[in-house]
Amino acid sequence: MPDISTGFAGIGHQRTLCNSVSCSGIGLHSGRPVRMTIHPAPAGSGIRFRRTDLSGDKAIIAADWRQVCDLPLCTALSNEAGTRVATVEHVLAALSACGVDNAEIAVDAPELPIMDGSAAPFLFLIECAGTVPQPSPRRAIAVRKTVMIEDAERRVALHPADAFTVAIEVDYGPGNLSPQSYCGRVTADGFRAEIARARTYGFLADAEALRAAGLARGASLDNAVVVSDGKVLNEGGLRYANELARHKALDVIGDMALAGAPLKARFEGRRSGHRLHHRLLAALFADSEAWDWAPILEEQPSRATAAE
């Protein structure tokens, strides 16, 4: 492959996939079968979803914080035509951690496949496809002052930092698992080693009410950690002692990817959730003094990078 970096010496480049890659599964909340394919996309196009069961402009949904729609227990996006795509956070986390700026995610249903409840299957797909640089520089969103959303029990904040770091605390009170925490800088290698395999989770006591509300219809011990009376019901238990906190960090990475560019910030959350994450991004961009653009210097390629 020719060197496409001429004119951008020392500055990081946008990346996309080398090849298209596909998977099939079921939706966590809908229980419907779904097939998903991640395609390469042109520089500057960002991440977008395309509903292959629809046609025209109504099928396209941008992965943008302004497109978030209010569905419980997941991150969902919609466009001006009302087309939705739900449970996008895990694949967005994997793409973000691998430094993929531009991709089109084609899906034939209104919800992405949950796979095993983690981002590891999506990370595997991206690494199989490989990534390639594009002749456009990358920019980061540099947080310049702290932005915070909080109430009596929960808090999320973005603080100025030189790199994207996530610090999470989860605590579901007496009778559930002990409080857990996770803190780490978000890199491709760190995501692969510490976060990608952490599964989504839920509580058996909530299952009947969730299904009555049309949620968690595809949930099972094969794709979620299930907790009952303070015990994990899955065979083999947790993948990590703090798997719930690590999965919450995974959700944060996916939700923050909706900013549209890598963050130079430290995220801190206590009992956080998707709605708070989305409100935090809205608060950040509502304050023009809280952020600005910053260049990204060239880094060592991750394992997902194709030979160049």
Side-chain angles (χ1 to χ4, degrees):
M1 177 177 294
D3 180 7
I4 63 173
S5 65
T6 303
F8 299 111
I11 299 297
H13 293 79
Q14 295 181 28
R15 303 190 76 87
T16 191
L17 301 185
C18 293
N19 303 288
S20 298
V21 63
S22 301
C23 66
S24 298
I26 64 168
L28 177 67
H29 295 297
S30 68
R32 291 176 52 178
V34 53
R35 180 172 176 81
M36 183 187 82
T37 301
I38 311 176
H39 298 286
S45 61
I47 308 295
R48 68 178 194 171
F49 295 88
R50 178 168 58 87
R51 287 275 301 275
T52 60
D53 55 329
L54 302 172
S55 60
D57 291 343
K58 66 181 180 181
I60 304 300
I61 309 168
D64 187 295
W65 62 275
R66 290 162 291 194
Q67 305 299 119
V68 169
C69 57
D70 190 16
L71 289 182
L73 302 180
C74 70
T75 292
L77 306 169
S78 66
N79 61 17
E80 292 74 9
T83 303
R84 290 183 174 182
V85 61
T87 319
V88 301
E89 58 270 24
H90 299 170
V91 70
L92 289 179
L95 289 166
S96 177
C98 289
V100 176
D101 303 283
N102 305 297
E104 182 180 89
I105 303 166
V107 59
D108 64 358
E111 185 179 18
L112 269 61
I114 190 60
M115 308 307 282
D116 73 343
S118 78
F122 302 128
L123 180 63
F124 174 76
L125 291 175
I126 296 165
E127 292 185 331
C128 287
T131 69
V132 62
Q134 298 174 287
S136 294
R138 296 186 88 201
R139 293 191 299 174
I141 294 167
V143 173
R144 298 306 186 193
K145 70 178 187 180
T146 294
V147 178
M148 183 180 300
I149 303 289
E150 62 181 335
D151 57 27
E153 295 184 346
R154 304 196 293 174
R155 176 178 54 82
V156 292
L158 286 170
H159 303 283
D162 293 332
F164 187 30
T165 301
V166 175
I168 283 288
E169 299 176 10
V170 297
D171 182 359
Y172 291 97
N176 284 300
L177 297 179
S178 299
Q180 298 182 10
S181 63
Y182 173 83
C183 181
R185 180 181 174 186
V186 181
T187 65
D189 290 340
F191 184 83
R192 183 184 302 109
E194 299 180 4
I195 296 175
R197 295 183 65 248
R199 295 162 293 179
T200 193
Y201 58 89
F203 298 90
L204 187 62
D206 299 332
E208 185 175 342
L210 288 174
R211 286 178 173 152
L215 300 168
R217 292 179 174 177
S220 72
L221 292 172
D222 293 327
N223 57 34
V225 173
V226 180
V227 180
S228 178
D229 296 325
K231 297 180 180 179
V232 175
L233 302 185
N234 303 66
E235 184 177 355
L238 296 175
R239 292 177 175 176
Y240 313 94
N242 62 343
E243 185 170 3
L244 275 59
R246 294 189 192 215
H247 185 80
K248 188 67 72 172
L250 191 162
D251 282 347
V252 168
I253 296 166
D255 288 344
M256 293 299 106
L258 295 172
L263 290 175
K264 288 188 175 183
R266 176 181 173 87
F267 176 97
E268 293 182 355
R270 182 176 184 274
R271 292 186 173 182
S272 69
H274 294 298
R275 285 176 175 168
L276 282 182
H277 303 163
H278 305 151
R279 287 177 59 195
L280 185 62
L281 281 181
L284 173 69
F285 290 114
D287 185 349
S288 61
E289 296 182 354
W291 68 279
D292 63 19
W293 292 106
I296 298 179
L297 299 180
E298 200 74 68
E299 298 180 353
Q300 286 294 107
S302 73
R303 194 182 304 172
T305 303
E308 298 166 16

